[in-house]
Amino acid sequence: MQLTKAWEACKAEKRIEGFSPHTLNAYRLQANLLVRHFKDIKPQSVTTQGIKDYLALSSEGLKPSSLAHRVRFIRSFFRWLYEEGHITTNPAAKITEPKVGKRIPKFLTEREIEHLREGCHTPMEKALFEFMFSTGCRIGEIVSLDKDCINVGNRSAIVRGKGDKEREVYLIADVIFG
């Protein structure tokens, strides 16, 4: 089995396990880069040193967070190959992720928030803005929000976020319930 066939088999299993399409797409990109570097060789031919050389070469243009993502993919892929019996030793077992510093979230100033509020012209725009602002929901969470998941009594809603995980958010804006 070559790397490309191994990746297709791995991808099918990850899809069955419930990996999101976004994760699978990101992994597909990493798999393509891996195959481009090593050519379409047998996974058994990949060595720990080969992986380290690949990561060192590719790290020149990457942020630490992007390199960490690449390492996570490689570790996951080779762990799968090992657990499925396609390789006898896991060359990625001792590869570690680079340290990634904590990022401080960016936030809007009061002036920027007021400019956004002033840009809302219809009651619907105002309600959507206040909903996003008061709950911290992502746009995708709001778009997929079912009206049955809104509890007017306690001013809360159940939203489905990343990884299909549900969470409860609380609405504090009077514009919504007026």
Side-chain angles (χ1 to χ4, degrees), residues 14 27 72-85 87 90-93:
K14 299 292 183 193
Y27 275 17
R72 282 191 298 276
F73 164 74
I74 288 170
R75 289 179 55 148
S76 172
F77 180 50
F78 282 96
R79 181 175 44 250
W80 178 85
L81 286 165
Y82 177 73
E83 289 172 356
E84 292 295 311
I87 56 177
N90 181 352

Side-chain angles (χ1 to χ4, degrees), residues 10-177:
C10 179
K11 179 177 70 173
E13 191 161 318
K14 299 292 183 193
R15 186 178 293 120
I16 292 167
E17 289 175 18
F19 277 52
S20 80
H22 297 294
T23 301
L24 290 174
N25 189 45
Y27 275 17
R28 179 187 56 79
L29 294 171
Q30 293 300 330
N32 289 342
L33 291 169
L34 188 73
V35 169
R36 187 181 306 157
H37 176 80
F38 284 104
K39 311 298 180 226
D40 201 11
I41 63 173
K42 293 183 184 222
Q44 192 67 39
S45 303
V46 178
T47 65
T48 301
Q49 189 58 50
I51 293 172
K52 287 180 180 180
D53 292 344
Y54 166 64
L55 291 170
L57 182 66
S58 63
S59 71
E60 293 172 10
L62 295 178
K63 293 180 183 178
S65 59
S66 298
L67 183 61
H69 179 265
R70 186 164 293 178
V71 169
R72 282 191 298 276
F73 164 74
I74 288 170
R75 289 179 55 148
S76 172
F77 180 50
F78 282 96
R79 181 175 44 250
W80 178 85
L81 286 165
Y82 177 73
E83 289 172 356
E84 292 295 311
H86 298 294
I87 56 177
T88 55
T89 59
N90 181 352
K94 293 186 179 181
I95 304 289
T96 58
E97 290 182 37
K99 292 190 178 195
V100 179
K102 296 233 181 221
R103 291 187 302 188
I104 297 173
K106 294 178 183 167
F107 59 90
L108 299 173
T109 65
E110 286 184 43
R111 184 177 176 88
E112 290 169 326
I113 292 167
E114 285 309 312
H115 281 306
L116 287 170
R117 271 195 182 107
E118 290 167 6
C120 297
H121 302 292
T122 67
M124 176 62 83
E125 289 174 350
K126 289 176 183 172
L128 282 170
F129 174 79
E130 293 300 337
F131 187 94
M132 284 193 308
F133 182 70
S134 70
T135 62
C137 284
R138 296 173 181 90
I139 291 171
E141 292 171 332
I142 294 172
V143 168
S144 63
L145 182 62
D146 184 352
K147 68 180 179 181
D148 295 332
C149 293
I150 299 172
N151 183 333
V152 177
N154 70 358
R155 293 184 170 204
S156 69
I158 304 294
V159 296
R160 190 174 304 273
K162 284 185 169 183
D164 214 25
K165 294 178 186 153
E166 288 185 347
R167 64 187 173 98
E168 188 170 21
V169 296
Y170 297 93
L171 312 162
I172 57 173
D174 287 333
V175 156
I176 298 169
F177 297 104

